[in-house]
Amino acid sequence: SPLRYCYSAFRKFLYISKMVAAADSLVWELVKNNNSFMRKKSGRTSRSGSVRFSVESGNLTSLSTYKYSGLANSKTIDISSTDDNRAALTLKTKKAGTSGKSGKAAIALNKSFRRTAKTISGQTADKYYRSDLKSAALAKYSAVYRGNRAAKGVKKAQPVKRGRA
């Protein structure tokens, strides 16, 4: 019957379809002005203007720029806090272009601060992965490390300074 033929053609289409890899610059041109991860904050004064932030995974500085974008770049680095107040380094693998979630490799960062900093610099610059993100990755790890120490109760949280006082 025609309905059975239509169903079998649709079923074949489901098996054949898969994600297609696109150039990083093309992806950035598509998502740079509007995506679900973008947060626009207006400045306090008319001179400062507005700033675009981005909250996607793989964005170390939370700025909406091509260099730090976790959506547009095929090689990304992400450092995040885990549930047990430790840190994890996540890298995109070669599979990430065609498979969504399984295209990431996570490395636990649970050694001393110096050894972890050496691991981060080794994964970014020494292995020619993304040497331009080395300083941003170390800064993000430093912030995550401080937050984890405060969450564990090892060190008191520092109050945020506001204004000139």
Side-chain angles (χ1 to χ4, degrees), residues 58-154:
N59 192 330
L60 288 171
T61 59
S62 296
L63 292 174
S64 183
T65 60
Y66 175 66
K67 177 180 178 180
Y68 298 114
S69 176
L71 295 172
N73 288 310
S74 56
K75 292 181 175 181
T76 62
I77 300 167
D78 190 28
I79 296 174
S80 58
S81 182
T82 59
D83 293 335
D84 58 342
N85 293 327
R86 294 181 185 257
L89 172 73
T90 309
L91 304 168
K92 265 191 188 179
T93 61
K94 290 184 179 180
K95 278 184 171 182
T98 55
S99 66
K101 292 182 179 179
S102 64
K104 294 184 180 179
I107 300 167
L109 301 175
N110 52 12
K111 304 283 187 216
S112 67
F113 187 85
R114 272 193 236 163
R115 286 181 69 183
T116 303
K118 188 176 178 184
T119 301
I120 292 169
S121 63
Q123 290 292 327
T124 56
D126 297 345
K127 290 192 176 179
Y128 304 107
Y129 189 74
R130 285 286 302 268
S131 59
D132 59 328
L133 296 180
K134 178 182 172 184
S135 61
L138 290 171
K140 176 83 180 247
Y141 175 68
S142 181
V144 168
Y145 182 77
R146 264 196 323 268
N148 285 344
R149 284 175 58 89
K152 287 179 185 176
V154 175

Side-chain angles (χ1 to χ4, degrees), residues 145-164:
Y145 182 77
R146 264 196 323 268
N148 285 344
R149 284 175 58 89
K152 287 179 185 176
V154 175
K155 190 167 182 168
K156 285 197 315 186
Q158 293 180 350
V160 177
K161 294 181 182 177
R162 292 178 187 254
R164 296 180 185 213

